Every structure is written in C-alpha cells, then in structure tokens.
Amino acid sequence: MTITDNILYFDACNTNELAEQYGTPLIVLSESELIRKSNEIRDDFLEKYDNVRAVYASKAFLNTAICKIINREGLGLDVVSGGELYTALHAQFPAEKIIFHGNNKSYAELKMAIEAGVGRIVVDNASELDLIAHLTSALNLPVNILFRITPGIHSDTHAYIATADKDSKFGFPLETIPSAYALAEKSPNIIPLGLHFHVGSQLQNTTAHLSALDVALGLIEQLHDMGTRVFELNTGGGYGVKYTETDTEMPLRDFTDPIMARLKSWASKTGIDRPQIIIEPGRWLVANAGLTLYRVGASKHIPGIRTYISVDGGIPDNIRPALYTAKYRAVIANKMQAPLSEAVTIAGKCCESGDILIKDIRLPQTRRGDLLAVFGTGAYTESMSSNYNYLPRPAVVLVNQGHASLIRTRESYSDLIRRDIVPKYLE
Ligand code: LLP
C-alpha cells in the first residue's frame, strides 16, 4: 500500500481508477500479497520441516482464479461442500491435493468426492463413516480418510467461531475414536490415515492449538498401544490476523514453530514416529490481501450524538461486523493526506440498524462521492456474501504490481431474478 497525490495505491494500482473502472463496492485482492504469504508458508513451514503439508481453507475466499493461484503456489485445498469441490475441480485443481471437510456431507457430495479421487475425506462423525463404507463398496473405489476429533478444549475467540469445545457439532467424541478406527480398518476400501482437529478461527496465540495437540497426541499413544499407526495429523487453521491497531500481526512461524517443537519432544519422549503434519490456514492467507472500496453516499449528523456516513454496500458484502462484531480499519482513498477530523460511524445501506461497518473511526472530512477503502476484507466477506435487500454482489479484481484483472464480474439486476419462475396462472 502506497500513497501518491493523496490517492491510495494497492499493489501499485490506483484505487480511484479501479473504482471508476469496475464500480463499487469493489473487492480488490492483491496477488503479490497472496504470493508473499504462500512464500512464507513455504520458507517457514514446508521447507523448514520434514513430512509436512499445507492446504488453503477455501471457505475464506474461493474463486476459479484463486484456485489457480493456490495450485501454482504449491498448496493443497480444503473444501467443505459440493459447491467448493465443483469450483476446485472446474479450476483443474489436482483432486489428490484436495481435502474434503464438513459435518454433514451428503451422499451426493461424498460420491462426487470419491469419484473425483480427492486426497482425503475428513470424516466428521460415525453416521458419515457408515455412509462412506456403503458408498466405497457400492462404487468399489478406495478413499483415504482422517477422523476429525473434538478435542474438548476452550478456544479464546468469538463463540461462533470456536469449534473445539466438547459440546460442538464438529467431530468425533474422543472416546469413540478407537472403535471408529477399528471399524474403518475393517472396511476394504477405506484407508484410515489419521486424525484432524480445528480449534477455531482468528486466534491470537497458540494456547488452543497446543492444548488440542496434547489431546491428539494422547489419542495417538492410545491407538499406538492398540497396534494402530497414525500416519497423519491435520491441525486445522485458525491463525489470527491483524485487523485493527489493537490486534497483533503474527507471522506463521509464531503458530507453527511451537506446534512442531511440541511434536518433536513428544516423538523423542514416546519413541513413536511423528505423523505427517498438515496445516489449513484460510484467513491468514487472504484477509490482508483484500480490501473493499465503497462509494460514500448520504451522511447525517445527530447533534451531540454522532455522524453517520453511509456507503453503497454493507451486510451483503461483509456480514462480519454484524455477525461477530468484527472490527476493521478504513481510510478515504482519495484523501490520504488530508487531516483527520471527528470520529464518524460508517453505515451500510441495508434496512437493518445492525448494518454498521465501522463504529467511531476518525477520517478526513468526508462527503458524497468520496471513496472509502476498508482493509483486511479478503477473508470471509465475499465468501459469506448475500443478496440481502437485493444488492447485486460486488465484482472482484485481482491486482498485481500495477496490473488489474477482473476475476469475478459484478452481479447485475437481471442476475437477481435469473432463478425466478412465474407460474402460468400468475402471468
Ligand atoms: N480448517 C477447518 C476444518 C475449518 O473449519 C476452518 C475454518 C479452517 C481450516 C480455516 O480457518 P482459518 O485459518 O480461516 O481461521 N466465518 C468466520 C470464520 C469461520 C471459520 C470456519 N472454519 C469468520 O468470518 O470469522
């Protein structure tokens, strides 16, 4: 990010020109930043440790072009639905590098995954294991699986994105793993390779990962004593990013080194071979590669209370402030060198009082037509977007050292009614 003549440049692209050319709201993704993060994964994890792999959790931001970038950068892909899998396969993402997650995969989704030859299915519960046993024998196709465990630990994050408590919809209760493993081993086409946990998202330290790791290692010892070898341990994602001044920017190694150190000492203490370790960062890779450009519209001042500045998007393109009270940083992209004035509140344009993007932020004097840039919107914004209030979804443009490429078109009004059908008697 740089500033020239009062204008914000993102990956050397003039944000005002991007907004003019592609319209607003506009999601801008920096390919250079995606490459920088992928290089960090390569240097500080993949090449630093033996027998490790990294996959990108595509639910954070998925698109055909993104799949191409992730594959080019040498990462695998985590998908959680038939739709995500379809997109990955459409982008010619190598099936063997895909990991399929989800707590309620349907018969059709599992069939699609097994027929495509995905690398791993992370089985979430006993009922799914039954379904897979049935499917693999009907199809006579093999499948590699991991068991997702519920480690039963607390993660210090928003309750909606904490996933490791004992009372969670995700994963096998720990005590059921030995029998599930034994069952899987009896199924001729199921190849049980190991375990998976994911403790939660936007974590600012490794406490939860390390607690879950200890639980998983205890289980691995138990299975080892029963004569079962665990070849792989997938430790999920959850690495937090810096959204505002109060968050800390943590490099990948701050998360992964403590995990790898704990594994090393465990292996030498127990004499059990360390399993292959897999990580699944989503947010960490894409959040700060993204920003959203909005055009400022109406504003109003409530004397003695606050000033509202409204923009042309909101909940439909970023539900995170309303859903998780998520905080973001923003600037006026065409007044980068102007002095800051009183704090204002940025409102979205939806008919919801909760559609507030940022509360109490200091910006320069702002008026209709200015361009607001909200930082850190690469993760879980576009992927959670909706057409609430029938706002067409924004376009997405990929920028790289001054070059811009449209990677998703803006929805049109006709897209909004594309699936509507009027029954004959109403015509
Ligand atoms: N692996 C599994 C199995 C997951 O369920 C997730 C995220 C990840 C990896 C990637 O987690 P990350 O590295 O991105 O934290 N919509 C929420 C986040 C939900 C995360 C769901 N699972 C938000 O906007 O904060």
Side-chain angles (χ1 to χ4, degrees):
M1 183 185 101
T2 53
I3 299 166
T4 308
D5 294 339
N6 239 346
I7 305 272
L8 172 71
Y9 281 69
F10 191 54
D11 210 342
C13 283
N14 179 321
T15 53
N16 284 251
E17 286 174 5
L18 292 174
E20 280 296 321
Q21 184 173 353
Y22 300 103
T24 54
L26 181 68
I27 297 174
V28 188
L29 263 193
S30 159
E31 187 174 7
S32 305
E33 180 63 11
L34 293 175
I35 294 171
R36 196 179 71 75
K37 290 288 181 151
S38 305
N39 288 346
E40 191 173 330
I41 294 176
R42 189 195 59 216
D43 296 344
D44 285 351
F45 185 65
L46 295 174
E47 290 185 352
K48 184 166 176 182
Y49 298 104
D50 287 338
N51 203 20
V52 293
R53 281 190 294 134
V55 302
Y56 163 61
S58 69
K59 74 204 78 175
F61 195 127
L62 181 65
N63 161 284
T64 310
I66 303 294
C67 287
K68 300 273 187 197
I69 294 174
I70 294 298
N71 188 33
R72 184 193 68 199
E73 297 306 314
L75 303 173
L77 201 72
D78 143 2
V79 301
V80 290
S81 69
E84 288 188 352
L85 177 59
Y86 175 87
T87 305
L89 295 173
H90 165 75
Q92 287 137 11
F93 202 92
E96 69 279 6
K97 290 173 69 187
I98 297 177
I99 301 185
F100 189 20
H101 286 281
N103 67 303
N104 187 22
K105 306 176 195 77
S106 70
Y107 190 89
E109 287 175 320
L110 287 167
K111 183 165 181 283
M112 180 179 170
I114 294 167
E115 285 178 340
V118 298
R120 305 284 180 272
I121 291 182
V122 178
V123 184
D124 197 274
N125 50 63
S127 135
E128 185 183 322
L129 185 60
D130 277 351
L131 205 55
I132 293 178
H134 175 76
L135 248 167
T136 47
S137 68
L139 298 170
N140 196 24
L141 287 172
V143 65
N144 297 312
I145 66 159
L146 303 182
F147 294 95
R148 177 163 182 167
I149 61 168
T150 317
I153 56 116
H154 173 71
S155 305
D156 188 14
T157 189
H158 192 284
Y160 293 177
I161 51 177
T163 48
D165 285 299
K166 212 169 186 172
D167 183 2
S168 162
K169 73 169 184 167
F170 298 108
F172 283 77
L174 290 175
E175 57 277 19
T176 65
I177 287 291
S179 59
Y181 229 105
L183 201 69
E185 276 170 341
K186 277 198 220 110
S187 297
N189 286 317
I190 298 185
I191 306 155
L193 288 179
L195 305 175
H196 168 274
F197 64 76
H198 172 72
V199 287
S201 205
Q202 184 54 6
L203 295 161
Q204 301 281 321
N205 59 57
T206 50
T207 313
H209 286 97
L210 291 176
S211 304
L213 182 61
D214 287 342
V215 170
L217 293 177
L219 194 56
I220 293 174
E221 289 171 37
Q222 194 187 337
L223 290 165
H224 180 265
D225 292 344
M226 292 164 48
T228 297
R229 176 154 174 212
V230 171
F231 295 94
E232 289 181 17
L233 176 61
N234 182 327
T235 59
Y239 313 144
V241 301
K242 182 178 165 88
Y243 282 110
T244 64
E245 300 308 335
T246 55
D247 297 329
T248 37
E249 168 103 66
M250 282 174 73
L252 183 77
R253 61 174 180 275
D254 284 7
F255 293 103
T256 45
D257 283 355
I259 293 175
M260 298 310 286
R262 178 80 52 104
L263 280 155
K264 192 172 178 193
S265 64
W266 170 82
S268 65
K269 193 181 81 199
T270 60
I272 302 174
D273 287 340
R274 157 165 88 63
Q276 178 174 84
I277 300 300
I278 298 125
I279 58 167
E280 297 177 328
R283 185 192 315 268
W284 185 85
L285 219 126
V286 287
N288 283 310
L291 63 75
T292 307
L293 297 175
Y294 299 96
R295 196 61 78 183
V296 171
S299 55
K300 77 161 188 179
H301 179 64
I302 309 173
I305 299 190
R306 70 177 65 248
T307 299
Y308 284 95
I309 306 272
S310 294
V311 294
D312 56 357
I315 280 180
D317 61 81
N318 187 358
I319 196 176
R320 300 194 69 258
L323 192 57
Y324 313 116
T325 58
K327 307 274 185 287
Y328 287 92
R329 218 159 43 84
V331 294
I332 297 296
N334 55 310
K335 292 182 173 168
M336 291 301 288
Q337 280 142 331
L340 300 181
S341 52
E342 296 289 279
V344 295
T345 288
I346 310 291
K349 68 179 268 133
C350 279
C351 298
E352 292 270 336
S353 294
D355 187 17
I356 300 295
L357 277 172
I358 305 177
K359 220 171 168 183
D360 297 332
I361 180 172
R362 289 193 68 207
L363 295 174
Q365 275 297 336
T366 302
R367 58 168 67 94
R368 186 179 284 278
D370 282 341
L371 192 66
L372 181 85
V374 178
F375 295 109
T377 59
Y380 302 110
T381 57
E382 148 82 2
S383 63
M384 296 178 78
S385 65
S386 72
N387 286 128
Y388 184 47
N389 284 187
Y390 266 30
L391 267 56
R393 285 185 180 81
V396 183
V397 65
L398 185 73
V399 289
N400 189 348
Q401 298 177 54
H403 298 284
S405 323
L406 190 64
I407 61 167
R408 179 164 281 163
T409 57
R410 179 174 305 285
E411 275 180 335
S412 63
Y413 287 149
S414 62
D415 287 331
L416 296 175
I417 53 163
R418 193 160 41 89
R419 293 177 304 130
D420 290 3
I421 296 171
V422 179
K424 268 263 169 287
Y425 73 95
L426 291 178
E427 275 177 359

